[in-house]
Amino acid sequence: MPLYAEKAEMINQQTYDLLRRLADRYETPEFINGDPSWWMHQVEGTANREATAFVASVLSYGSRSQFMPKIGTLLNLAEGDMDSWLRKGKYQEYFASSDNSSFYRLYSHSTMRHFFDVYASLLNEYGSLGEYIVRCTGIEAVESICRWFSGRGVSTVIPKDATSACKRVCMFLRWMVRSNSPVDLGLWADRIDRRTLIMPLDTHVLSEATKLGLMGSRCASMHAARRLTDIMAEVFPDDPLKGDFALFGFGVDPL
């Protein structure tokens, strides 16, 4: 039975084989070069990796050439320890609530300060984002993360709810949950079943899926993301988000 969509599309053998081949080709250690997941592999410690990954994920939109240096700037300010930097409020030295100058695109320094304040409150109350999530499904994890931040007035950095595709939240969850991967960390493998994760969907991924005849939707909504997850589950039943690497590979090398 499909986990999400009312009815998953049937995939022909040629597309099935292509997706399997591309996933194996692109889920390699080399994938992280230039990818925002690179940052979480540059630090030590479970809590620090989790915090670094989450901060990297929220900045991962637009051009990589622009957001990658911004993530690096934050990690440099944190002296390589994002978890401690946030938990101890050291970010307050660099981000003032009254500073409306741009930090990155739609995010002002004030916006980042509010995000950091709310994230730090979660870390200090629960110990980590993983402890806040506990055991749940992928969609429940997305909803929980959105609820914490939107309930405290943060709706620019984190989506206010799970109506939109929540691409960056879903990407972060892929990093945290999938294990035995040269890319993803699997820190929450015992908290969330990877079969319930949702494809990180944006307009580019949707375009690649459409070119392959997998999707007809033009809107990168949560409904479309869950439908694409169902479709990928036909190819990778035990690990649907392996299909994320396949679609990335198709965009690079459509064969």
Side-chain angles (χ1 to χ4, degrees):
M1 288 290 293
L3 286 173
Y4 301 121
E6 292 126 4
K7 181 181 178 184
E9 306 293 338
M10 294 301 294
I11 299 177
N12 63 47
Q13 191 64 45
Q14 182 180 6
T15 303
Y16 178 98
D17 293 341
L18 174 62
L19 291 170
R20 299 282 302 190
R21 187 164 64 251
L22 287 171
D24 289 340
R25 178 180 297 179
Y26 284 93
E27 189 178 8
T28 66
E30 291 71 32
F31 177 90
I32 68 173
N33 295 327
D35 188 74
S37 61
W38 185 84
W39 297 104
M40 65 192 187
H41 290 276
Q42 309 311 306
V43 299
E44 300 294 330
T46 299
N48 191 26
R49 284 185 159 191
E50 178 186 299
T52 299
F54 190 55
V55 171
S57 71
V58 303
L59 285 170
S60 298
Y61 74 100
S63 167
R64 289 188 179 192
S65 64
Q66 293 180 327
F67 70 68
M68 288 291 282
K70 289 297 183 180
I71 299 169
T73 294
L74 292 179
L75 199 55
N76 285 335
L77 291 175
E79 298 181 337
D81 192 345
M82 188 68 72
D83 179 72
S84 177
W85 188 66
L86 292 166
R87 195 184 302 275
K88 295 179 180 179
K90 295 181 180 179
Y91 59 87
Q92 295 173 9
E93 300 174 31
Y94 308 98
F95 294 87
S97 298
S98 58
D99 186 354
N100 292 317
S101 63
S102 176
F103 175 70
Y104 176 63
R105 298 188 69 174
L106 298 176
Y107 302 166
S108 66
H109 285 78
S110 175
T111 299
M112 293 301 295
R113 169 61 181 269
H114 190 193
F115 165 70
F116 288 146
D117 282 344
V118 173
Y119 186 20
S121 70
L122 183 149
L123 294 176
N124 287 316
E125 181 172 343
Y126 287 91
S128 71
L129 187 51
E131 289 298 321
Y132 166 70
I133 294 299
V134 196
R135 293 179 182 274
C136 59
T137 64
I139 186 60
E140 289 170 342
V142 172
E143 291 170 343
S144 293
I145 291 172
C146 291
R147 184 164 54 248
W148 176 271
F149 286 92
S150 66
R152 290 156 181 81
V154 178
S155 59
T156 303
V157 181
I158 304 294
K160 65 179 181 179
D161 56 39
T163 303
S164 68
C166 298
K167 183 266 178 82
R168 287 168 288 160
V169 176
C170 292
M171 178 179 69
F172 168 73
L173 291 172
R174 196 202 82 201
W175 294 348
M176 292 297 100
V177 174
R178 292 185 70 251
S179 56
N180 301 316
S181 169
V183 179
D184 301 327
L185 296 177
L187 301 180
W188 298 359
D190 61 340
R191 298 176 186 276
I192 300 172
D193 187 334
R194 67 184 184 181
R195 292 172 296 181
T196 71
L197 292 173
I198 299 166
M199 283 286 292
L201 181 68
D202 58 17
T203 54
H204 173 71
V205 172
L206 188 59
S207 175
E208 300 307 317
T210 300
K211 289 176 186 175
L212 281 166
L214 303 177
M215 296 284 287
S217 173
R218 296 183 179 181
C219 177
S221 63
M222 180 57 71
H223 177 78
R226 296 171 82 165
R227 188 169 183 80
L228 182 57
T229 303
D230 265 354
I231 294 167
M232 286 301 172
E234 293 184 29
V235 185
F236 310 99
D238 188 51
D239 187 12
L241 264 59
K242 194 171 182 67
D244 199 14
F245 296 94
L247 290 179
F248 171 85
F250 184 71
V252 173
D253 179 13
L255 305 178

